[in-house]
Amino acid sequence: QVQLVESGGGLVQAGGSLRLSCAASGRTFSRSAMGWFRQAPGKEREFVASITWRGGSTDYADSVKGRFTISRDNAKNTVYLQMNSLKPEDTAVYYCADARGTATKYAQGYDYWGQGTQVTVSS
């Protein structure tokens, strides 16, 4: 079993930056595709970014392209989400997820989830 713990969320002004981290425990991290999702009040959970197990391929939602960067350090069992030029519409709880397989934008493709970290962007 894999356990994921997100950190790095907080309250920032529009235009600011945050770096989220997801620390993983278990045996599968280095061989698993990872993803970030977010859920805002009154909205369904939506895809943000994904990365393959070697880190050689990434994918992003159109709403965050050019502003967010996903990366991973398998030696440290950690995946990151660098968020720049934040907008109020980025406000949400951000979740890290482990696919135990192929990277995908669909939440149903992920087997393990963290408990989330709150990101609030003020205008």
Side-chain angles (χ1 to χ4, degrees):
Q1 182 169 316
V2 175
Q3 291 184 302
L4 307 172
V5 180
E6 302 96 335
S7 63
L11 174 63
V12 299
Q13 295 184 9
S17 298
L18 285 173
R19 185 177 180 85
L20 305 183
S21 297
C22 174
S25 61
R27 295 179 179 272
T28 65
F29 178 82
S30 65
R31 299 285 180 173
S32 299
M34 302 291 295
W36 285 96
F37 289 75
R38 66 187 183 186
Q39 187 166 22
K43 302 290 186 180
E44 295 186 350
R45 188 168 298 185
E46 66 175 351
F47 169 77
V48 176
S50 67
I51 187 167
T52 56
W53 74 269
R54 283 188 174 272
S57 182
T58 58
D59 191 26
Y60 298 91
D62 288 342
S63 60
V64 306
K65 285 181 179 178
R67 299 188 298 120
F68 290 11
T69 302
I70 187 172
S71 62
R72 67 191 298 166
D73 186 339
N74 289 345
K76 297 181 178 180
N77 292 334
T78 303
V79 63
Y80 306 95
L81 185 69
Q82 178 67 46
M83 306 185 296
N84 299 325
S85 301
L86 283 162
K87 304 175 181 179
E89 51 262 45
D90 295 318
T91 295
V93 176
Y94 283 70
Y95 298 90
C96 177
D98 182 343
R100 293 286 306 277
T102 304
T104 177
K105 67 179 182 180
Y106 301 106
Q108 293 181 351
Y110 293 84
D111 295 326
Y112 302 102
W113 296 81
Q115 292 186 325
T117 185
Q118 177 70 48
V119 172
T120 302
V121 184
S122 63
S123 59

